[in-house]
Amino acid sequence: MVRIITDTTSDLTMDRGKELDVDSMCLRVRFGDEDYVCGKELSNEQFYEKLESSPHHPATSAVNPIEFTEVYKKYLDAGDEIVGIMFSSKMSATYQNAVIAADEFDTDKIHIIDSEIGLTGEALLVEHAVKLRDEGKSAQEIEDAIRELIPRIRVYLVVDTMEYLKRGGRISSGKAFVGSLLHVHPVMRIVADGALPIGKVKGKKSCNAWLVDKLKEEPADTDYPLVIGHSNALERANEFEQQLRDAGITNEFKTNCIGPIIGTQAGPKCLGIGYVLK
């Protein structure tokens, strides 16, 4: 049997992971002296509640090699193959730690993939790997298909407030203050290196319109789902889904709450999309 492993930056909930029969390796987040296992001890929604109330700006840490080793051994002992789809190696040590653990085993049954992305983009890759697994594909066939898909993944995010970019040292206090006065919302493209600023919009209505226009400019492949990502703004995400339907977007829709790794920088009430480019 082929086992699919990912990490919690894919923003798949533990319940969704169980439904898909996928292991989600948990990164950690720390607020001052309080340390939490992402997805288990702190849900993504609870993370944003703490982000807004805690006097401490959070820090995050990768999955360590020992945790990967334990999971690999369990599945290898059962005679299984393993496909791991991990958060971008340029944004976290999780991928490198997954490889370090794999190198401890003298086997060709472990296939570790750098997703070169995270969030909704990583979730899309995991969901597709599961589909291929359920079709009876081998671990090597799944790896090859996922690597071919990675360059076509697009993830865009519109930030609600500049406050958390300021807290994380991404922008100056002056820029954050002016942006707040002018109701400016930064637009990011999530790439291998992180969140790349690519524009700004004014007003919440313009945020949604920008994402709709981007889908018209760079259409989504309807053979794959489109994932709406939000940072504890489910009602807004549901309204946005209806806007996409009204705009003629016919993909299957999935909705995920963005986790702590990107949420630490972007903050609450953000909205984004992840999809496979046509």
Side-chain angles (χ1 to χ4, degrees), residues 13-175:
T13 63
M14 290 297 156
D15 286 344
R16 181 59 177 160
K18 289 178 182 177
E19 183 182 335
L20 295 173
D21 195 15
V22 166
D23 287 78
S24 289
M25 308 299 292
C26 298
L27 282 81
R28 306 184 75 92
V29 60
R30 177 183 291 273
F31 288 89
D33 294 331
E34 299 176 340
D35 190 65
Y36 300 92
V37 178
C38 297
K40 289 185 178 179
E41 299 174 345
L42 193 71
S43 70
N44 289 353
E45 290 81 3
Q46 289 170 331
F47 163 77
Y48 289 104
E49 293 170 8
K50 287 195 70 68
L51 182 64
E52 293 188 86
S53 63
S54 175
H56 303 286
H57 192 67
T60 57
S61 59
V63 183
N64 68 57
I66 295 173
E67 294 173 272
F68 282 113
T69 299
E70 291 173 350
V71 173
Y72 295 164
K73 186 177 187 308
K74 176 178 68 174
Y75 289 136
L76 291 174
D77 286 350
D80 296 332
E81 294 184 290
I82 298 166
V83 175
I85 301 172
M86 301 300 157
F87 189 38
S88 170
S89 62
K90 294 183 179 179
M91 287 192 271
S92 169
T94 296
Y95 167 78
Q96 287 93 337
N97 290 346
V99 172
I100 288 169
D103 288 344
E104 295 181 17
F105 298 89
D106 183 20
T107 181
D108 59 0
K109 290 185 175 183
I110 304 176
H111 304 253
I112 306 301
I113 303 168
D114 180 353
S115 72
E116 301 179 22
I117 200 124
L119 292 87
T120 53
E122 188 178 347
L124 281 167
L125 295 173
V126 173
E127 295 263 4
H128 190 59
V130 168
K131 178 176 179 290
L132 296 174
R133 178 202 66 193
D134 293 347
E135 291 174 354
K137 303 296 185 184
S138 69
Q140 187 61 60
E141 288 173 320
I142 294 172
E143 178 185 357
D144 293 344
I146 294 302
R147 291 192 185 280
E148 287 182 10
L149 201 58
I150 287 172
R152 297 171 58 199
I153 296 291
R154 297 290 182 272
V155 177
Y156 296 101
L157 184 68
V158 183
V159 175
D160 186 67
T161 171
M162 294 186 179
E163 172 64 22
Y164 298 90
L165 293 171
K166 180 194 77 174
R167 290 188 192 180
R170 299 292 297 272
I171 61 172
S172 67
S173 296
K175 283 186 177 180

Side-chain angles (χ1 to χ4, degrees), residues 163-196:
E163 172 64 22
Y164 298 90
L165 293 171
K166 180 194 77 174
R167 290 188 192 180
R170 299 292 297 272
I171 61 172
S172 67
S173 296
K175 283 186 177 180
F177 177 72
V178 171
S180 177
L181 286 178
L182 298 176
H183 304 289
V184 169
H185 302 275
V187 180
M188 310 283 192
R189 179 178 170 189
I190 308 301
V191 294
D193 291 336
L196 176 68

